[in-house]
C-alpha cells in the first residue's frame, strides 16, 4: 500500500528501511524522502516506525 503518494513510497519500503537500520522519521526522510513534500504521510509513517520499535522491545 502506498504511504507517501508524493514520493511513491509504500509501507513495505518503509518496513525494509526500518529493518535496515532506520530508527527515526529523519532516517526515513533521508532514505526515502517520506514526508518531504506535503507531509500528509508523516502520521502513517510514524505509526509504522512505532509498531516496529515496540516489536523489538
Ligand atoms: Fe508523503 Fe506528500 S504524501 S509527502
Amino acid at each position: 500500500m502506498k504511504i507517501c503518494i508524493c514520493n511513491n513510497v509504500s509501507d513495505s519500503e518503509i518496513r525494509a528501511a526500518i529493518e535496515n537500520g532506520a530508527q527515526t522519521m529523519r532516517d526515513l526522510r533521508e532514505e526515502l524522502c517520506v514526508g518531504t513534500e506535503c507531509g500528509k504521510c508523516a502520521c502513517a509513517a510514524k505509526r509504522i516506525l512505532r509498531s516496529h520499535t515496540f516489536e523489538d522491545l
Side-chain angles (χ1 to χ4, degrees):
M1 179 177 76
K2 287 292 171 214
I3 298 295
C4 181
I5 305 297
C6 297
N7 296 301
N8 196 31
V9 180
S10 67
D11 59 333
S12 56
E13 289 171 290
I14 292 175
R15 288 195 178 90
I18 294 167
E19 279 160 23
N20 287 325
Q23 296 182 328
T24 63
M25 278 303 291
R26 184 182 189 161
D27 294 338
L28 293 180
R29 264 197 304 276
E30 286 174 3
E31 200 166 318
L32 301 170
C33 296
V34 169
T36 58
E37 301 293 331
C38 73
K40 287 183 180 167
C41 58
C43 285
K46 272 184 208 162
R47 260 198 305 278
I48 296 172
L49 200 53
R50 265 191 236 120
S51 70
H52 275 257
T53 305
F54 291 129
E55 268 173 25
D56 292 345
L57 292 177

